[in-house]
Amino acid sequence: MGILNRAPAPIDADRPAAADFVRVLATWAVGAFHIWQQSWYGGAAPAHWLQAGSVGVDLLVMLSAFCLFLPWANAAVRNQPLPRIRPAEFYRRRALRLLPAYYVSLLFSLVLAVARRGWSKALALDLAAHLALTQQFYRPAYLACQLNGVTWTLTVFALFYLVFPLLAPLCAKWPLPTLAALGLVQLGYTCWLLPQYGSGDYSARFNQLPAFSGVLAVGLAAAWVFAKFAHGGWAQHVLPRAGCTALGLAALIWLDAEMRAQAAAAEYQQFQLINRMPLVLAAAAVLVCFGLGLTLPGVLRRALRWLAALTYSFYLWHQMLTVFLKYDLHLPAWAGDTPPNQLGDAAWMHRADLLYWAAALAVSIAAYYGIEKPAVRRFSKTPQKMCAQKAR
C-alpha cells in the first residue's frame, strides 16, 4: 500500500513526454516506409507499419495542432489570460524553425537534380514552388517532383501556420463551434473528392489542407482534454495515473489496428482519406492517455526529447539520402541496371536497410546541431539587437 499511497511525479502540462513519443513514432513510421521502399527489407518493423507508414504524416499534422494550441488550452483551464499572439512574430518564429534546415536540404536536392538531368525550365518552376512552400499547388512539383518529394507536407503546415493566429483565439473562446466547423470542412471536402478517386485530380487533392482540417480539430480538442485533466487533483494519486497509462497502451493497440487496416486496403489512397479520422483519433488517444499517465524516468524523458528534436531533420533528409545512396552511389555496392533487392538478394537488402537508417540518423544529427540549432541562436538574437539599438 505504500507504493499506492505515494504521490507520482507531477504531470508536465506544458510539454508532455507523450508528445515527443508520438512525434518519434510518426516520423519513424514515415522513415520506415520510405527506406523499406528502397531496401525491401522486411525485418525492421511489423509489415503493416512498413506498408502504411506514409500515414504518419497525418499524425504529425494532428500533433502540430496539439502542441501549438496547448498553451492556449492550459491558460483557459487555469483561468489565466490567453496568450497574446502577434501574427508577424508568430510567423517569424515558425519560419525560423522550418526554413533554414529546409532550404539547406533543398539546395542539396537541387544539386542532385541538376547532376542527374541538367537544368531545365521544369526544374526552375519546381524550385520556385518549393522555395515558396507552394509545391502542392503546382502539380508537377507535387506529383512529379524533381527535388525532395517528402516536403509537400510543408505546404500543409505553412497554410496551417498562416491561419493559426486567427484559429487559436476562436478555439479558445468558442471551442465547440470552431472544432465542429473544422470537422465539417473535412467531411464536406471528403464527400466532394471521393467520387473523383482514380483521377489525377484526386491524387493532387487528397492531401490538401481541407482534407486535414478535421485532423487539426482532433489535435486542438486533444489539447483541450489534456489540459482539462492535467490540472486536476486526481493526478496526485498513483492508481488513476496508472489507469491512464493502461488506456494509453489500449489506444496504441487501437492505432496498430488502424495501421493494419490501412496496409491491407486494396485502394490505399481512397481508404486513407476515409480512414483519416479514426487513425488520428487513435493517435490522439495515445497522446492524451500517455500524457496523463505515469511519468517516465528522467533518463528516458531526456532520450525521447533528444530523438524528437532530430525528427524534423530526419524527415527532410531520409528519403532523399536513401535514393542518393542507392542509385547515385550504388551503395551498398551493386552493379548492373537492376538493384539487388529486385533480384531477391536478401543479404543486400539487410545491409542496405542498416546503411540507409545509419546514414539518415547521422545526417539528421549533423543537420540538427550544424544547421537547426545555430540558425535559431543566430536569428533569434536579431530582434533583441534591434530593440537594444532603438533603446540607445
Side-chain angles (χ1 to χ4, degrees), residues 52-222:
S54 60
V55 299
V57 170
D58 299 25
L59 310 189
L60 292 173
V61 172
M62 181 277 295
L63 182 64
S64 181
F66 174 90
C67 292
L68 282 180
F69 187 65
L70 186 57
W72 295 75
N74 279 325
V77 168
R78 295 165 178 165
N79 294 317
Q80 296 174 346
L82 295 177
R84 296 182 61 184
I85 186 167
R86 294 189 300 168
E89 177 60 19
F90 175 77
Y91 299 147
R92 190 191 73 84
R93 292 200 309 269
R94 290 290 90 198
L96 180 62
R97 173 70 180 89
L98 295 182
L99 294 183
Y102 169 63
Y103 284 146
V104 171
S105 71
L106 186 61
L107 176 62
F108 182 80
S109 68
L110 177 62
V111 172
L112 289 182
V114 172
R116 290 164 179 165
R117 305 179 187 89
W119 183 257
S120 65
K121 180 181 178 181
L123 180 58
L125 293 173
D126 200 337
L127 176 61
H130 278 78
L131 288 171
L133 299 180
T134 58
Q135 49 265 57
Q136 269 196 318
F137 303 147
Y138 178 56
R139 290 194 182 188
Y142 177 42
L143 299 180
C145 178
Q146 299 184 57
L147 299 170
N148 191 350
V150 304
T151 60
W152 64 265
T153 54
L154 292 184
T155 301
V156 175
F157 285 113
L159 292 174
F160 171 50
Y161 298 153
L162 189 64
V163 301
F164 183 78
L166 173 65
L167 185 62
L170 288 176
C171 191
K173 295 178 181 178
W174 301 287
L176 291 181
T178 303
L179 297 174
L182 289 171
L184 287 174
V185 168
Q186 180 168 326
L187 177 61
Y189 187 84
T190 299
C191 293
W192 168 75
L193 188 58
L194 278 175
Q196 304 177 47
Y197 180 73
S199 68
D201 287 341
Y202 182 91
S203 298
R205 292 171 177 167
F206 88 104
N207 273 332
Q208 298 282 351
L209 180 65
F212 287 103
S213 62
V215 174
L216 295 174
V218 171
L220 298 171

Side-chain angles (χ1 to χ4, degrees), residues 21 40 67 88 104 145 196 212 216 224 240 245 249 376 382:
F21 171 74
W40 289 13
C67 292
V104 171
C145 178
Q196 304 177 47
F212 287 103
L216 295 174
W224 264 112
T245 300
L249 292 172
V376 170
T382 302

